[in-house]
Amino acid sequence: MSAFLGHIHYWLYHKIGRVVEREQLIFQKAEEMCGATAEELQSQVWQIYGQPLPDTELGELIDHTNIHGWLQRQITIAETREAAFIKELVDTCGGAAQDIVLSAYAEHGKLCGEHAKAQGKYDGQRAAGIYQAVNDYVLNGMPCDQGDVVTVNEDDKVLWEGETCLQERNWTKAGVDKAFMKECYQKWFAGFVKALNPIFAYSQAADTLKGSPVNRHQIVKEA
């Protein structure tokens, strides 16, 4: 095991793994809907982007001579491969495929929220604690890429914003509809927050929904 592998590397590796989990959940739901077609589409995408990383120890996989570069590449591959599979699925199966993708995102968010709650290390009674958990689970680039800024940080509400969506560059590579992918992520966030504490809810702030170039998100305690 390399002496250079630290907490931040495992933190990122686990977040990459959750994208792979979600991709597999989408595939399972797609296979139930369209059988061999889902397998064919997955095979096509894997031929381009490679198969997901095996579930094994990070030290056995990572390039110890270029840790940062290896992690960045795996983020790009995982997000682009998932988006490419979603694009192929929706292009082939239409609205029914959109429904199962949205369902998979919501379900995966819920599963991750339940996992976070079971860890017992997040203050799920405060919006700030839930926001911390979200950031520990969602893959949002490398730590040096972070562009989100918290503008409200209260016990009952956290609001954060950013001018860029870091996943968009990989969605562009895959050619998937960006508006649909943002809707998928909203489903994931909503499922995560409700699972961690059902008295809180995630939503996009109103000005974002009106077309503001700045993405604004909030976690709010419901009355």
Side-chain angles (χ1 to χ4, degrees), residues 90-165:
V90 171
D91 286 352
T92 303
C93 303
Q98 288 185 323
D99 289 343
I100 67 166
V101 171
L102 290 169
S103 172
Y105 266 78
E107 183 178 334
H108 188 257
K110 178 176 180 289
L111 290 171
C112 288
E114 290 171 345
H115 184 271
K117 184 175 182 179
Q119 300 309 298
K121 68 176 186 177
Y122 301 105
D123 183 0
Q125 300 306 310
R126 297 175 60 249
I130 298 173
Y131 176 71
Q132 178 190 353
V134 166
N135 276 284
D136 280 351
Y137 279 75
V138 71
L139 182 59
N140 197 28
M142 298 287 283
C144 56
D145 295 330
Q146 298 305 301
D148 290 344
V149 176
V150 175
T151 57
V152 176
N153 189 353
E154 301 170 354
D155 285 351
D156 294 346
K157 181 178 181 179
V158 167
L159 191 151
W160 70 99
E161 63 183 38
E163 293 185 1
T164 60
C165 175

Side-chain angles (χ1 to χ4, degrees), residues 8-111:
I8 193 85
H9 304 126
Y10 286 99
W11 180 68
L12 281 168
Y13 179 55
H14 291 315
K15 294 207 282 187
I16 293 168
R18 291 188 184 101
V19 175
V20 173
E21 288 175 358
R22 190 172 61 213
E23 179 189 345
Q24 182 59 25
L25 181 59
I26 294 168
F27 169 73
Q28 290 171 358
K29 289 180 176 292
E31 190 177 33
E32 292 173 2
M33 178 184 71
C34 53
T37 299
E39 295 181 13
E40 292 172 6
L41 296 177
Q42 183 189 65
S43 178
Q44 291 171 17
V45 170
W46 282 10
Q47 285 177 22
I48 298 171
Y49 298 102
Q51 295 188 22
L53 290 172
D55 184 14
T56 189
E57 184 62 36
L58 176 60
E60 299 177 11
L61 297 172
I62 200 166
D63 178 358
H64 293 270
T65 66
N66 185 16
I67 293 172
H68 184 281
W70 187 89
L71 286 166
Q72 180 65 72
R73 183 170 182 271
Q74 295 309 319
I75 289 171
T76 299
I77 291 172
E79 290 184 343
T80 309
R81 184 181 55 236
E82 180 194 41
F85 180 59
I86 290 170
K87 178 186 183 299
E88 295 302 322
L89 195 60
V90 171
D91 286 352
T92 303
C93 303
Q98 288 185 323
D99 289 343
I100 67 166
V101 171
L102 290 169
S103 172
Y105 266 78
E107 183 178 334
H108 188 257
K110 178 176 180 289
L111 290 171

